[in-house]
Amino acid sequence: MDLGGDSIKVAMLSPIAWSTPPKKYGPWEYIVSLLTEGLVKRGIDVTLFATADSHTKAKLHAVAPRPYEEDKDMLVKVYECLHISEVFERAKEFDIIHNHFDYLPLTYSALVDTPVVTTIHGISSRKILPVYKKYNNRTFYVSISDAYRCRDLDYIATVRHGIDIESFHFNEKPQDYLLFLSRLHRDKGVREAIEVAKKTGRKLRIAGFIADQAYFENEVQPYTDNNQIIYEGHVDPEYKKELLSNAYALLHMINYDEAFGIGVVEAMASGTPVIAMNRGSMPELIRNGETGFLVSNIDEAAEAVQNIDSISRKACREHAEKHFSVDRMVDEYIKVYETILEKRKREEKRPWGFYEVLMEKPGYKVKSLTVFPQGEISLQRHAHRNEHWYIVSGEGLVTKNESKIRVLPGDSVDIPVNEIHRVTNIGGQNLVFIEVSRGDYLGEDDIERLEDKYGRT
């Protein structure tokens, strides 16, 4: 991918909770690493903003010497602020800033001209949505599954995670144990996996980072016996792959609507079927009855264990190869970058926001206009065209000669030739409307500005 012969320059903003790639746990950093290395292989110029102990073939820029989860003496907010500021202070060096750091970097995005795309790996609470809403349509959002899209936000694409399939050993002759592989937290259903193991009389091996110590001590540890229920600890990547490859089945008994399940995909890449609760993104990852089973409760999961032999381990591997390779993920992100850069070429920025020409033919033109909060288009009139406005989102105040009209989504306004008019965004979100112009001349210079808060009269 290049721009006029020059390789596109991407700033890849990784979290700093863990190194990139992580030594053990760190799903966001893991995906950032796979994407970064995949882009570098394609000849794309990537600068990875991550912890100093990260490893990459891209250019590495670091402020945090190590992950803050591994050094409790680090003041998290200090290093987060320094880390994010480094990216945006260098914004002019890049064509795209790809944010994997959640919502905080969005608050810097309006200060730079470089487009920002954010992969929303997870929304920890609806309380963070006001930030995402504020920068909706001013930046670009990518979802990691269709199930995890928020209805309040607009997305440029869904790009499901991909993994390095070849690094996972395919095993057609597994051992007889069940496997739980994830962080140890109530959301992930460790206790439910234990119940399934007990109902079926099978061994369960548990591996993962203890994310909730109290939950572990009360709901998991009392049932471990180093015989049937075994806690393997927080394992490294190689031991994780060994556990996945040899497992009879992976139990993924989640208690929430999960955005994605990297461990689910890794299991299938190893040939291991997955038994998962039918929630969140699971139907997008697992083919029920072909690569595992989607269940609604513990009893159904126990029954599914008895039917695992009906699942072809080869089919699991082939499914992962076809749908969840790192190459497929890289391809799709490159398309996202291309779409954003092409869209930016078509957009014209103004002090109040920006517009995009959607269609232009002799006698008419269709545009999408976005007015930022507190922004307003100048008081103006046109000598050669009339306009029809349709409000898509936001809240505005339209001036028509001496009248003022409050407009909301679904409202429309007609502006005849020579009528004095203006629109002001009076809401807290972007005001977006479609403008259809008709006339004998549609050039942008057919504007007589009468008043303008930006000094353009």
Side-chain angles (χ1 to χ4, degrees):
M1 181 181 180
D2 60 70
L3 300 171
D6 295 323
S7 174
I8 182 176
K9 294 179 172 61
V10 177
M12 193 71 68
L13 179 57
S14 187
I16 54 172
W18 308 99
S19 54
T20 304
K23 301 175 186 73
K24 294 181 180 178
Y25 180 80
W28 295 16
E29 292 87 347
Y30 174 54
I31 294 300
V32 172
S33 177
L34 288 170
L35 175 58
T36 298
E37 305 314 303
L39 291 171
V40 171
K41 285 182 181 178
R42 305 291 182 89
I44 294 176
D45 187 344
V46 183
T47 299
L48 174 65
F49 291 80
T51 58
D53 61 344
S54 297
H55 297 280
T56 181
K57 291 182 180 177
K59 300 167 187 171
L60 177 63
H61 186 91
V63 175
R66 64 193 67 85
Y68 61 72
E69 288 288 358
E70 296 177 11
D71 184 350
K72 296 303 181 181
D73 289 332
M74 292 175 66
L75 193 57
V76 174
K77 285 300 175 189
V78 168
Y79 279 98
E80 285 185 335
C81 290
L82 291 173
H83 180 62
I84 295 167
S85 67
E86 289 291 307
V87 181
F88 286 89
E89 287 171 12
R90 294 181 56 187
K92 290 182 180 179
E93 300 175 30
F94 306 106
D95 300 302
I96 295 269
I97 295 173
H98 193 161
N99 169 39
H100 296 266
F101 203 97
D102 209 355
Y103 63 91
L104 188 57
L106 296 175
T107 62
Y108 292 69
S109 63
L111 305 177
V112 301
D113 290 330
T114 306
V116 177
V117 57
T118 298
T119 295
I120 302 179
H121 290 266
I123 295 176
S124 56
S125 165
R126 290 194 64 84
K127 292 179 180 179
I128 70 175
L129 279 178
V131 183
Y132 280 108
K133 287 181 181 179
K134 179 177 180 179
Y135 296 96
N136 194 38
N137 291 318
R138 297 173 71 173
T139 62
F140 302 92
Y141 298 143
V142 172
S143 55
I144 59 174
S145 65
D146 290 336
Y148 207 67
R149 287 192 167 200
C150 174
R151 288 179 293 178
D152 297 322
L153 304 178
D154 298 307
Y155 297 83
I156 192 168
T158 292
V159 180
R160 295 176 184 84
H161 293 331
I163 62 172
D164 181 7
I165 304 286
E166 296 306 314
S167 72
F168 290 86
H169 175 62
F170 172 67
N171 184 4
E172 207 155 9
K173 297 180 179 179
Q175 298 176 25
D176 63 354
Y177 64 85
L178 303 173
L179 177 65
F180 173 92
L181 178 67
S182 190
R183 58 188 169 91
L184 275 61
H185 188 279
R186 187 178 306 277
D187 286 349
K188 293 293 189 173
V190 199
R191 174 64 188 276
E192 287 78 5
I194 292 171
E195 291 300 316
V196 173
K198 287 186 171 296
K199 275 184 172 290
T200 58
R202 287 190 178 266
K203 182 183 293 186
L204 174 68
R205 298 174 76 170
I206 301 168
F209 167 64
I210 299 175
D212 184 333
Q213 188 66 38
Y215 173 74
F216 176 74
E217 291 175 358
N218 295 325
E219 302 289 340
V220 179
Q221 196 170 37
Y223 300 96
T224 61
D225 55 13
N226 290 321
N227 182 26
Q228 184 189 11
I229 312 297
I230 304 166
Y231 176 49
E232 300 283 351
H234 187 190
V235 300
D236 63 36
E238 290 310 310
Y239 189 42
K240 176 186 75 172
K241 291 174 183 178
E242 182 182 329
L243 288 170
L244 282 166
S245 178
N246 289 313
Y248 184 65
L250 179 77
L251 296 180
H252 201 66
M253 304 293 291
I254 51 174
N255 290 310
Y256 74 119
D257 294 328
E258 190 171 28
F260 199 83
I262 296 173
V264 169
V265 173
E266 292 177 333
M268 292 188 293
S270 307
T272 299
V274 181
I275 298 169
M277 294 293 281
N278 190 9
R279 299 190 61 170
S281 62
M282 292 304 108
E284 296 178 44
L285 309 185
I286 301 164
R287 286 187 174 173
N288 191 38
E290 295 181 25
T291 64
F293 295 102
L294 298 170
V295 300
S296 301
N297 52 52
I298 291 170
D299 287 339
E300 288 184 10
E303 182 180 350
V305 171
Q306 309 304 330
N307 294 321
I308 280 293
D309 285 340
S310 68
I311 302 295
S312 163
R313 293 179 73 92
K314 185 179 179 183
C316 293
R317 173 74 171 208
E318 290 173 347
H319 180 63
E321 289 173 337
K322 183 176 181 180
H323 297 285
F324 301 108
S325 72
V326 70
D327 284 338
R328 188 271 313 155
M329 178 177 70
V330 171
D331 285 341
E332 292 182 7
Y333 272 116
I334 289 175
K335 288 179 183 176
V336 168
Y337 299 158
E338 290 173 338
T339 300
I340 291 171
L341 294 174
E342 181 59 34
K343 182 178 177 65
R344 281 300 177 97
K345 284 181 184 178
R346 298 197 308 266
E347 289 179 353
E348 291 289 339
K349 294 185 178 179
R350 295 291 185 268
W352 44 261
F354 59 90
Y355 71 83
E356 178 183 357
V357 176
L358 304 178
M359 180 184 293
E360 184 169 8
K361 300 287 184 181
Y364 71 94
K365 181 191 291 187
V366 182
K367 295 194 296 190
S368 168
L369 293 90
T370 298
V371 183
F372 298 152
Q374 287 76 57
E376 68 176 22
I377 293 174
S378 60
L379 188 67
Q380 60 185 256
R381 60 187 169 197
H382 310 295
H384 299 278
R385 69 176 186 258
N386 61 63
E387 296 177 349
H388 176 79
W389 296 351
Y390 179 83
I391 310 302
V392 176
S393 62
E395 180 181 4
L397 186 66
V398 174
T399 299
K400 281 170 55 74
N401 290 329
E402 300 301 321
S403 301
K404 293 188 183 296
I405 307 165
R406 180 170 174 262
V407 291
L408 297 170
D411 292 340
S412 60
V413 178
D414 288 306
I415 311 293
V417 174
N418 284 320
E419 183 169 69
I420 295 172
H421 61 280
R422 170 166 56 200
V423 62
T424 303
N425 184 343
I426 60 173
Q429 300 180 31
N430 288 348
L431 172 65
V432 180
F433 63 98
I434 302 299
E435 175 188 285
V436 180
S437 303
R438 295 177 64 251
D440 56 15
Y441 180 70
L442 303 173
E444 291 303 317
D445 54 344
D446 179 27
I447 298 176
E448 181 187 356
R449 290 191 177 94
L450 307 173
E451 291 178 9
D452 184 72
K453 68 184 286 186
Y454 310 105
R456 297 176 299 162
T457 53

